[in-house]
Amino acid sequence: MTGQDTHTDDGALLDFPGAGRLRAAGRVAPPSADVVAAALAAVRSAANPATDADRATGPDQAKVHHHAKRTGRAGGGDPVIGLEREPVAEIVPARTWRRHMPVLVSAAAVAAIALGATFQPWSDSGDERVTPATERARTAPYWKVRILQWNRTLDREQRPDESYETIWVSRNGTRGKPGNGLVQDYTRQDMGGTVWVICGEPVGWDELRKLPTDPEALRSRLVGEATGDSVPEELFDGIEDLLARSPAEPELRAALFDVLTGIPGARVTERVKDSTGRAGTVVELDADTWRRQLIVDTKSFHVLEAVDRARNDGLAWGSQKLRSGDVIHRTTYLSVGPAWQQPPLSPLR
């Protein structure tokens, strides 16, 4: 919510418009000690992360709460779902980069002041501030996803199966590196490139920017002519793929989340934690004997975790009889985001 292992791979704090002028500016008289102290205090204040309580009441959460109240699918008293703990991971999507970039620039400004150089941050020439990070997210040729899969085994005496995997998605196909370390080709050759299929309607990489960001128009585009009882689950699955495994931009992600919460039968609960302890909003849908759940970070609209649970007591699973709420399968999205390269395919054996 990085595909990234992007903390950042290009590395430079001075990678922004105006950096060349900064480097060429030369030296000026150094500032006073009071000026440097004030600048450092400002940087420390900006770098201080918001508390969980602050994040939970942010504008995006307020929007979700308003939507849930309007649709009658969530309430402030809903319980927090505690899932099994796994190693803590962090999602760093493009919007998070955008929040962090001003802190980096402020630090660069302090360094520039201390060196006696003039400093000019990027210009805000339009309604949306375009930073080097967001531009990289738009133009990078790959979308990298790191996931942890958890599967319940059929024998209650066996430990659950757990495996890590990294996936690189591009216009032309998909590669994956599962736990065995071999880079494999996951491309569907019949599609002629990367396509996300929602309710039988294909969406290609370059079509993502053309999708409408009005929720009603977006739902119409995704569902198309599809009808029948399977449409809600197919729409649910398709939106998971777009939010979790595609380079969709923030405006489209927000619209997709709105469509997701509007699926007939969907239920929304805020302030839910995934298996790593990250807080998000869960959208769940009953499908046959399963309960499908997506936990979404509603600041970035990236999927934190997808979980399949038993709906009722007594479901047979190998030698086990499941109880309602037992986890069958869980996909934890450890990081998602843009990438500039992918590994070569492993040689065939």
Side-chain angles (χ1 to χ4, degrees):
M1 140 65 85
T2 131
Q4 76 277 27
D5 291 348
T6 68
H7 291 189
T8 66
D9 51 6
D10 59 2
L13 288 178
L14 298 182
D15 179 17
F16 54 85
R21 290 191 297 274
L22 187 154
R23 288 190 292 264
R27 298 182 60 86
V28 297
S32 68
D34 290 342
V35 170
V36 173
L40 288 172
V43 171
R44 293 190 184 101
S45 176
N48 185 36
T51 64
D52 288 339
D54 293 334
R55 287 192 292 270
T57 56
D60 289 312
Q61 285 285 8
K63 176 182 176 183
V64 173
H65 179 73
H66 171 75
H67 177 86
K69 183 176 181 181
R70 173 170 57 82
T71 55
R73 287 195 295 273
D78 291 316
V80 170
I81 299 174
L83 306 181
E84 292 139 345
R85 302 270 317 170
E86 300 293 343
V88 175
E90 180 183 8
I91 191 167
V92 189
R95 185 171 293 185
T96 302
W97 294 340
R98 188 177 299 154
R99 289 200 300 269
H100 288 176
M101 283 300 290
V103 176
L104 297 179
V105 171
S106 296
V110 171
I113 291 172
L115 293 172
T118 59
F119 174 78
Q120 181 179 354
W122 59 75
S123 61
D124 193 3
S125 56
D127 293 335
E128 179 184 1
R129 173 173 289 179
V130 178
T131 71
T134 57
E135 185 59 28
R136 286 195 296 273
R138 291 176 176 178
T139 60
Y142 305 104
W143 189 252
K144 183 180 176 183
V145 184
R146 292 184 61 246
I147 60 179
L148 170 62
Q149 301 276 8
W150 185 100
N151 292 286
R152 180 180 293 273
T153 57
L154 295 176
D155 187 343
R156 70 170 63 251
E157 302 302 324
Q158 293 180 343
R159 293 173 57 86
D161 290 331
E162 289 185 312
S163 61
Y164 291 86
E165 186 172 24
T166 304
I167 298 170
W168 292 264
V169 183
S170 71
R171 285 177 176 80
N172 301 319
T174 302
R175 293 182 182 181
K177 183 179 179 181
N180 62 15
L182 299 178
V183 180
Q184 305 169 28
D185 189 358
Y186 293 171
T187 304
R188 288 185 56 179
Q189 301 300 331
D190 60 322
M191 292 294 183
T194 295
V195 173
W196 295 270
V197 179
I198 302 94
C199 297
E201 294 292 313
V203 176
W205 178 289
D206 291 321
E207 290 182 89
L208 290 173
R209 294 190 190 181
K210 301 176 184 178
L211 290 177
T213 54
D214 172 75
E216 291 297 328
L218 179 59
R219 186 186 191 282
S220 178
R221 164 65 179 85
L222 297 178
V223 173
E225 302 297 324
T227 58
D229 295 340
S230 64
V231 168
E233 187 177 2
E234 291 178 14
L235 186 57
F236 188 94
D237 289 344
I239 291 176
E240 176 190 346
D241 277 347
L242 288 177
L243 289 179
R245 301 172 186 247
S246 87
E249 295 190 358
E251 294 79 5
L252 177 58
R253 291 182 176 279
L256 285 167
F257 184 78
D258 205 327
V259 175
L260 178 70
T261 59
I263 294 175
R267 300 179 297 277
V268 180
T269 305
E270 299 179 22
R271 294 180 294 279
V272 172
K273 290 185 178 181
D274 75 354
S275 62
T276 71
R278 299 172 299 182
T281 294
V282 66
V283 182
E284 62 181 17
L285 183 73
D286 291 340
D288 195 24
T289 57
W290 314 114
R291 176 166 298 136
R292 313 292 306 281
Q293 295 181 321
L294 284 185
I295 303 176
V296 180
D297 174 1
T298 52
K299 292 181 175 64
S300 64
F301 298 105
H302 283 271
V303 177
L304 301 176
E305 196 163 71
V307 187
D308 293 336
R309 297 176 180 271
R311 281 183 61 185
N312 305 301
D313 292 336
L315 179 67
W317 187 260
S319 62
Q320 308 172 57
K321 292 291 186 180
L322 301 181
R323 294 176 298 175
S324 175
D326 281 350
V327 176
I328 306 300
H329 174 77
R330 182 173 66 225
T331 301
T332 305
Y333 293 93
L334 302 175
S335 63
V336 299
W340 286 93
Q341 56 185 338
Q342 65 177 351
L345 293 174
S346 297
L348 297 176
R349 294 180 177 178

